[in-house]
Amino acid sequence: MGSLHQELGAMKQKIKSLLEENNRLSIENQQLRKVLKRETASLTPKPVPAAAVEDDSHAMPIDEPVLASDAIGVGQGYDNLARLYHEGFHICNLYYGHLRTEGDCLFCLSFLNKE
């Protein structure tokens, strides 16, 4: 009976530490989302004033649609994920956003090596 009581006490302590870590990581995740929002807001293209636009009536029409990835930059998302990984966070779908505490993650590395 005494050993079961000690085991239960140890489990309660473990649960308490896990809940505290979860809370800490949730707060850190919220802060990182705010930083990400602020950085992406500063990277959005600003509208060009009408006075700065030249008359393109003599230009030949272009049949190709302009892709959103062309305006932002093709490798920008990949660079952001690589930066997050090097800052110590998971970018894999299993643990995305969690801190990497045990070194490199094979899932994250395989994601970074995809082309």
Side-chain angles (χ1 to χ4, degrees), residues 59-88:
M60 294 179 57
I62 298 175
D63 294 334
E64 298 179 34
V66 177
L67 300 175
S69 62
D70 292 340
I72 296 172
V74 176
Q76 186 177 6
Y78 178 84
D79 292 342
N80 286 337
L81 287 175
R83 180 181 49 82
L84 281 174
Y85 181 78
H86 291 293
E87 288 177 2

Side-chain angles (χ1 to χ4, degrees), residues 28-88:
E28 185 174 356
N29 196 7
Q30 288 173 351
Q31 291 172 345
L32 289 172
R33 287 178 193 270
K34 288 178 187 175
V35 169
L36 181 62
K37 240 184 231 184
R38 189 173 43 229
E39 285 183 6
T40 55
S42 67
L43 293 176
T44 56
K46 311 259 185 300
V48 179
V53 177
E54 295 180 20
D55 182 23
D56 286 339
S57 60
H58 62 278
M60 294 179 57
I62 298 175
D63 294 334
E64 298 179 34
V66 177
L67 300 175
S69 62
D70 292 340
I72 296 172
V74 176
Q76 186 177 6
Y78 178 84
D79 292 342
N80 286 337
L81 287 175
R83 180 181 49 82
L84 281 174
Y85 181 78
H86 291 293
E87 288 177 2

Side-chain angles (χ1 to χ4, degrees), residues 75-114:
Q76 186 177 6
Y78 178 84
D79 292 342
N80 286 337
L81 287 175
R83 180 181 49 82
L84 281 174
Y85 181 78
H86 291 293
E87 288 177 2
F89 295 97
H90 282 278
I91 59 168
C92 61
N93 61 342
L94 298 174
Y95 303 108
Y96 182 80
H98 293 120
L99 282 174
R100 287 185 296 115
T101 57
E102 300 177 3
D104 290 331
C105 171
L106 294 178
F107 296 115
C108 293
L109 290 176
S110 68
F111 182 77
L112 284 175
N113 290 331
K114 285 184 184 177

Side-chain angles (χ1 to χ4, degrees), residues 12-29:
K12 284 182 180 180
Q13 284 298 101
K14 183 67 176 172
I15 290 172
K16 180 182 174 190
S17 67
L18 288 173
L19 287 173
E20 289 173 351
E21 182 181 11
N22 187 29
N23 189 31
R24 181 183 59 81
L25 290 175
S26 295
I27 292 170
E28 185 174 356
N29 196 7

